[in-house]
């Protein structure tokens, strides 16, 4: 079970230029095969399906704690999309002014027609996220190999989305996710290493480009987010240090586990109402309008 | 963001007779259109996409709090499936004994071939859960109507799954879910009522059969789970009482909101290892077996 | 646009033995790639998308008229499924008696969990019918080749479903559909023949087995259903005789077009209520039950 | 069964500017979750699967009659798409002139590559309509709640598509559908009201914007289309007035049922041939071209 | 089993202007319903599933040989896509320069986010190729009718993709595929003709436009590719001449079978590295960068 | 491009007892996420999309050669399914004898209704294989990590399918595939090792059970199939020995590359005709039957 907090994992800036193009692309980080819904759901199922938890306690705790962090990653991606979309249409009450003209040009039409200029569980091509993206074989080594692959693929996608634009919202999002996603790459590598003695961590980074090449990642690296596993549970997670320990493969300080929350927690961004999308409500054009219109059409006998 | 607790929402009994048939059917409550993944993901997206949170605070808190409870429902369904599957195969290390013969008869083969006799994000026909099951239009009334429908459809499915078997695990699961799911039906009805003045709650129960007809539901009703919204967040949720108030439509005490957690919290069930499924690991047949086998085949020159 | 009549295209007998197994198989004729939803939707889209209707009037009328007949075929398949399912569970009001035990054994669980022991738009494996099964290229020859293929594939499936069982409902259904579907095979062959001069009709029958080998088909052949195109519209369709004319390729009388309706029209079968599935409603266990149960649990202070 | 008429439900103007952008967006009204294929197929299955028709006659007739009307809505959406696409490419016989250059820019490439610049059963993102969008539980109240939700979601989508453009074809289409779809919203609300005594109709309109705010809707409101259920069957439907009665929730005259057809019936729009798409046929470049080309290539010995 | 050769079936020119628009469209020839993956997989399954190979030897050999050719067609389509994409982004090592800005405008975002500016098994709308596109009924006539339809539909798509652009890569690709695909249309027509005596070949060409109308097809026609079946196996295929014989329906020389390979075989095009996509590797920004960056951030104590 | 040989990679025994149950399960090895279609298609796309082939020659050759071997694996799985299904129905010409009664019990109904008791591109639950199972990022390390995961997951599935039955066809199939699939696991591990210096091969075997525990694998191990990469191309593949070299991680002789073909090549199994499925043809019930039946029905005037 979980307890929700009304917070984002980090603060996202407002876009310089709202962009339905960027919002469509960022959906790959949401509903793509290697998007944040996939990481969340993979670790969720691996956690609840874990057999012989006692014998493999630190591994169980590791996967369970990362699962809980991923909820926050999904929220962060959604919030970035929502910020990018706010301001792409003409705010107002008059449907005849074609306020949603942008929807005709938008690559992701669901964000307008099915949502109120907001995120949905689809990828950058509008394909819905689906459960075939979940691996939960029960074999610990196999699932860890999968997770190492998944986080590595996710890192590649984040890196590419970063490269599409100089918009600060997209860059802040991907800068943060590159750092935290990389800790998950390393964590699954460390877990495999602990089980097998193979130095899997040395494969990091894949792709080969270091996180240090991304300016927006620097403050997170400096705050310790690159080498620290924070606690996203109500349990003591210090046993994870049996896995998460030793030197960092990309030059950050040594790996460390803490029972503290992640230090970057921020408020949710404000999302103003969009009356032209009836989100959360569509005001009537003016008070009494309906009655007056009906009177004009049908006369006073009504 | 969330904080995870290593607990289930209620205690599930061990099945009288492990049953791959029942486990296949219960997947409808997991990955079906009206399964618990759907309720979780619908309210998750409606929460993070909520526009003008300030103006509609109690509605926002209501949806956000129910979203967080649904995580626990998904865990509960998964745990029931896992318990039903444990014991359906021959536990052991010898692959030649056909220990997975049950998989040939099983209706859900993924539970064996892709998982370690465990739950996956599919429905009772093996179709993967997908994001098209999520409604998040941003229009509050529309989404509330949807949620009222979704929870009502979920209630119908739970009722039918209950009726398939007398197995105590299935009945405890569905007894609990009928009670808690019904509070969500009523909650969304109350929210529509508060917005519109229409007495939507009087539509409850749909289907018409009362929860009082299900013996396993009684203890939950008596504990207050039928008329109380518990806190699944780290926030003060008492503002929800602006919506969740008044008489109960099915004869339970008056509706009440609390900042306390749900009182039925229980430990996770034990899930023993299944070596024939290599979950979490497959022991070698015997120590030194590989070396000896290789020696026999290739001779001492190796 | 259409005008609906509250009739089936032919009368279906009640099954000797209700059978969820047969009902699951017959879904292939509903939602399969070559099922009746596919024929309906293919011809629907080809009709509304038809370019240069004036120049190709008889072809347009032919496709449009067959589209309208297919609606009745879909109804017929659904009715057969519904009849096969009625009686597979224990009718009654008590959920604790496990009245839906059959659902655990059923191959198509959606028929129980999502429907009230009724048909749904899925195929024999529970995969949903989808729009990728529709061909509507606009090129008349290409679409006619497709339709000839589709009806031939549909004929093969009907033939195989016939061969699965001696149940009279299944055999009446497939006997009727083999005859009428074959007229559609021949019709598209004739249309290609008229356009190209190639004697495509001589390819009939595919598969090679004649409809005369199916006893249930005989009365339909004798009534003229094998060689007559009936009118399923409000228009004069006699221009279709520019295409539908000449000798029958399987020994029935010469092809003929009529503005009369099909002569086998019958009433819809009765479908009794299934209270255990709450279809169309679930009676309360007994009047006053809820109040009494609540009184016992919560005492008189309520 | 049905009888088809070669008519549209209303007359659609020719677009001012053909637009593949608008045509791609309008597909949401065709194959979207809340598009017209969904409404058609939902009510089709609910009708044929209806149990205990005798006890619930007016409800059965209501759903069956609306199902039949929806066929006409699907035709109307398809026709609007086809009109929007006609003229977006270069009409002619020369493939080397790149006549389909527009297809490279088009958001819905299927309309060009798989159809002859026409509609297909997909939504605005090119996802195929599928049977998971159909709810047919058999429980009358549950299915009515669903239908109320579905029509409300459909209304929201129509409203948004209206807002994307000032093109007269799109506005006429959505103006008509807003009015008729709203009668279906109200009809299902009335049915729930009749069953339960709850004044569900007062929830209308959702989204909150009245149909009176859409100029193109006015003539339909004045003609009675906002408050009248017309007959789309060959049966007497006057029993529906047990449900469809009383005041209109948006200021139109009182609700009324008629056995007359809808008064706006119009001819199908002309769809000229598109030779560059070979729809319905591709002329040879010039007579004798093939023979001459072959002679040039292979010499006279052929 | 197969033996792979490191060759393309013909040489593709480098595009005049790299174009993500054209690359997105050409995906229809890859993963579309009638794309080359479909032809490959249909004939693959029909070959391995062929019953009574002895009695129908030439038919078996025909299908098996075409299956093997299709592998080369899929490679050709992929190579065209890859050439079209090379050069659409800014090659280099600096992620902050937004080198993938093109991805925001691209219609197929998977080519950038999931591939290294390369082809994937999706169609022009980003829908994944899937196994429902495979017909393998086992009935020879039925499968031949299907194949005749499939190749005809494929021909229509190739013709349309040709018409979208004057880019030489696209035209060379479609010119070649029109010729070779047409031999497959004719081959399946001939096979049906041999089985039934019906002159199916006379239906060719569908669509009606002759391959002679496409300038890029001429050299292939002159080289014999329009009337020759080449050997794509290690077997003697001369028995196919029992089917593939007689006059050509579009004015090429008489049909002929050879045990020689296709004469147009060419080298694979060069695909340079794309470091900004980390394909095949991403260089670090500069040697020692990581260590220096870490030193700056964390000081010398590391 | 490829050249096909009319051979299987190894000889499969005829089943002791034909079994639609086993045939349904083996489909997981065909169309499952980690089935042989996935391995074939992943390496196919990685090969044709490979950038900078010159710089990474041995890696390119390795992936290309394994891709070609996978075609033979898919054939092998299909042949096993086809053998398991042959004999599950009543062979003959009389449709009224219900010869396909087995189809009602069969878990995979497509094998009967859509195929002639043969394999199709679906998995063990009837879900179609689809292109989302393909990873082709272009980044060599990432794709190698993926391939290592994919082959490991495939190994787990093969191991489980082995454990479902003692049928000799299933065991021979999985015994062979465990050995050859394991060489692919090791190959991708070696490739990663060569690129990074990390001893990834030491992770083998995953799951932990050695191939030596499977009796049917022994003869293949003894023949060298566990430690040899054979040539499935027309090229010289000896450069692969820069990767595939050194000791075997599971006690077989040292790794070796050869330009010889795999030594186990065998003939395709015989697949007799199934007339009741019209595969490859359905005889008419008796000569002259159609004419006589028609005469009896319609009289001599025909």
């Amino acid at each position: 079970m979980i307890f929700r907090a009304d917070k984002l994992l980090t603060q996202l800036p407002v876009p310089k230029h709202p962009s339905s193009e960027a919002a469509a692309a960022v959906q790959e980080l949401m509903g793509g095969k290697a998007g944040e819904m996939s990481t969340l759901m993979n670790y969720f199922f691996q956690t609840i399906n874990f057999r012989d938890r006692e014998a493999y306690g630190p591994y169980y705790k590791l996967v369970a704690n990362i699962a809980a962090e991923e909820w926050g990653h999904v929220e962060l991606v959604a919030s970035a999309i929502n910020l990018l979309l706010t301001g792409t249409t003409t705010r107002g009450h008059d449907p005849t002014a074609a306020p949603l003209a942008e929807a005709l040009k938008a690559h992701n039409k669901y964000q307008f027609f099915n949502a109120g200029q907001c995120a949905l569980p689809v990828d950058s091509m509008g394909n819905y996220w689906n459960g075939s993206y979940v691996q939960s074989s029960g074999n610990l080594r196999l699932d860890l190999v999968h997770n190492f692959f998944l986080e590595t693929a996710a890192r590649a996608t984040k890196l590419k989305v970063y490269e599409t634009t100089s918009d600060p919202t997209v860059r802040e999002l991907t800068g943060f996710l590159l750092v935290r996603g990389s800790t998950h790459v390393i964590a699954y590598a460390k877990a495999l290493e602990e089980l097998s003695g193979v130095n899997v961590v040395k494969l990091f980074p894949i792709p080969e480009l270091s996180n240090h090449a991304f300016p927006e990642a620097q403050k997170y690296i400096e705050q310790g987010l690159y080498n620290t596993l924070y606690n996203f549970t109500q349990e003591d997670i210090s046993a994870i240090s049996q896995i998460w320990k030793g030197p960092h493969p990309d030059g950050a300080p040594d790996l460390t586990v803490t029972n503290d929350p992640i230090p970057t927690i921020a408020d949710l961004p404000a999302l103003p109402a969009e009356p032209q999308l009836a989100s959360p409500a569509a005001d009537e054009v003016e008070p009494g309008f309906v009655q007056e219109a009906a009177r004009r059409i049908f006369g006073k006998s009504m």
Side-chain angles (χ1 to χ4, degrees), chain A residues 60-69 230-233 237 240:
Chain A
Y60 171 74
K61 283 177 189 291
L62 179 76
V63 177
N65 191 57
I66 296 180
E69 179 173 355
Y230 303 99
N231 195 340
F232 291 88
T233 78
I237 65 162
I240 296 176

Side-chain angles (χ1 to χ4, degrees), chain A residues 233-251:
Chain A
T233 78
Q234 294 196 329
E235 322 292 325
D236 176 356
I237 65 162
S238 49
I240 296 176
S241 65
Q242 295 173 40
I243 296 166
W244 184 259
K245 64 187 177 191
H248 190 280
D250 192 28

Side-chain angles (χ1 to χ4, degrees), chain A residues 137-181:
Chain A
S137 76
N139 183 262
L140 184 54
R141 291 182 189 214
L142 176 51
D143 289 347
L144 290 172
V145 168
H146 170 268
N147 297 352
F148 178 73
F149 159 67
L150 176 61
E151 289 285 359
T152 301
R155 188 175 181 277
T157 312
K158 292 161 189 170
L159 186 154
K160 290 174 173 180
V161 172
Y162 181 98
E163 293 184 342
T164 60
T165 176
S166 58
D167 172 80
T169 312
V170 174
R171 290 199 164 184
E172 193 71 29
L173 173 75
T174 49
F176 178 87
L177 290 177
L178 277 166
V179 172
R180 290 308 298 165

Side-chain angles (χ1 to χ4, degrees), chain A residues 59 62 144 148 182-204 229 240-249 254-256:
Chain A
Y59 300 91
L62 179 76
L144 290 172
F148 178 73
S182 294
T183 64
H184 299 171
V185 176
I186 300 167
Y188 292 123
K190 294 294 294 185
L192 276 168
E193 194 165 313
E194 188 69 18
L195 274 177
S196 67
V198 179
N199 189 5
V200 182
V201 172
K202 268 189 61 187
L203 292 169
F204 186 86
L229 288 189
I240 296 176
S241 65
Q242 295 173 40
I243 296 166
W244 184 259
K245 64 187 177 191
H248 190 280
D254 283 359
L255 306 179
T256 181

Side-chain angles (χ1 to χ4, degrees), chain A residues 241-297:
Chain A
S241 65
Q242 295 173 40
I243 296 166
W244 184 259
K245 64 187 177 191
H248 190 280
D250 192 28
D254 283 359
L255 306 179
T256 181
V257 176
T258 174
N259 277 319
D260 290 338
I262 196 166
T264 47
I265 293 173
D267 283 340
L268 297 169
L271 285 178
E274 300 282 6
Q276 76 287 2
L277 287 145
S279 177
D283 298 338
E284 288 178 22
V285 176
E286 41 183 292
F289 176 89
V290 171
Q291 287 68 26
E292 175 58 21
R295 199 193 56 73
R296 281 203 315 272
I297 296 171

Side-chain angles (χ1 to χ4, degrees), chain A residues 8 10-16 76 79-80 82-84 167-173 216 219-220 269:
Chain A
L8 270 197
T10 195
Q11 186 163 15
L12 291 173
V14 172
K16 276 186 303 191
L76 208 55
S79 296
N82 296 350
L83 287 168
L84 286 162
D167 172 80
T169 312
V170 174
R171 290 199 164 184
E172 193 71 29
L173 173 75
E216 289 77 3
K219 71 171 168 294
Y220 297 117

